Amino acid sequence: MVHLYYDSKTGNVQRFINKVIQITGWQAHKIEESLEIQESGHLVTYTTKLGSMPEKTKMFMDNHADKIYSVTSSGNRNWGRNFGLAADKVSEDYDIPLATKFELSGTMEDINQFIEIIKHQYNDSKRGSKKLDIA
């Protein structure tokens, strides 16, 4: 079973996750201060303040980075080179492979691409490999 851990502020990541679990049946867990994870999985977060990692995501990763296989982030292409930058920061700060990035709540193509990446590159891996990153 694939576990997804996600942080959502405006609902875009929540909508993306809802579509993914509807298609796959995977387990999704919203990041809350009290969340303790038992199963390794994948992080999906959002980019805030024109390219920053959300504080809740940072606190989660400070406590659970060893159980996260990959990171994916939503963003807004209007931010140019800062698009989805939270994923780059998580990847760099915690040595987590970057799976992909998507705009706002993602298109069906984004959702299908994410599912394929997780199924074929990171599922049950030992944290994946940076050379597999396609974002």
Side-chain angles (χ1 to χ4, degrees), residues 47 50-51 76-86 88 101:
T47 301
L50 297 176
N76 190 319
R77 293 194 190 280
N78 291 341
W79 294 351
R81 64 185 180 148
N82 291 336
F83 168 69
L85 201 56
D88 297 301
K101 299 176 185 180

Side-chain angles (χ1 to χ4, degrees), residues 71-116:
V71 60
T72 293
S73 180
S74 73
N76 190 319
R77 293 194 190 280
N78 291 341
W79 294 351
R81 64 185 180 148
N82 291 336
F83 168 69
L85 201 56
D88 297 301
K89 291 183 178 185
V90 169
S91 179
E92 184 178 314
D93 291 356
Y94 299 96
D95 195 30
I96 305 291
L98 172 60
T100 191
K101 299 176 185 180
F102 60 93
E103 186 168 23
L104 303 175
S105 60
T107 64
M108 280 311 297
E109 183 178 336
D110 294 329
I111 291 161
N112 289 328
Q113 180 183 32
F114 172 78
I115 292 167
E116 288 303 308

Side-chain angles (χ1 to χ4, degrees), residues 7-127:
D7 196 358
S8 185
K9 180 178 182 178
T10 64
N12 285 326
V13 172
Q14 177 76 58
R15 284 187 291 279
F16 180 87
I17 290 291
N18 288 345
K19 292 173 198 169
V20 169
I21 62 174
Q22 183 178 26
I23 293 167
T24 63
W26 294 346
Q27 295 290 314
H29 313 274
K30 187 168 186 177
I31 295 173
E32 301 291 345
E33 201 171 308
S34 61
L35 178 65
E36 289 296 324
I37 68 173
Q38 304 300 317
E39 302 290 335
S40 295
H42 306 272
L43 173 66
V44 182
T45 190
Y46 63 95
T47 301
T48 189
K49 298 179 185 172
L50 297 176
S52 296
M53 180 191 328
E55 191 58 37
K56 201 185 302 183
T57 295
K58 182 178 180 347
M59 290 188 315
F60 174 81
M61 290 303 294
D62 286 346
N63 293 317
H64 303 291
D66 61 325
K67 292 186 177 179
I68 299 301
Y69 294 137
S70 72
V71 60
T72 293
S73 180
S74 73
N76 190 319
R77 293 194 190 280
N78 291 341
W79 294 351
R81 64 185 180 148
N82 291 336
F83 168 69
L85 201 56
D88 297 301
K89 291 183 178 185
V90 169
S91 179
E92 184 178 314
D93 291 356
Y94 299 96
D95 195 30
I96 305 291
L98 172 60
T100 191
K101 299 176 185 180
F102 60 93
E103 186 168 23
L104 303 175
S105 60
T107 64
M108 280 311 297
E109 183 178 336
D110 294 329
I111 291 161
N112 289 328
Q113 180 183 32
F114 172 78
I115 292 167
E116 288 303 308
I117 289 168
I118 300 305
K119 282 168 65 175
H120 297 292
Q121 294 181 356
Y122 296 110
N123 193 28
D124 298 326
S125 73
K126 298 282 189 215
R127 304 265 306 256

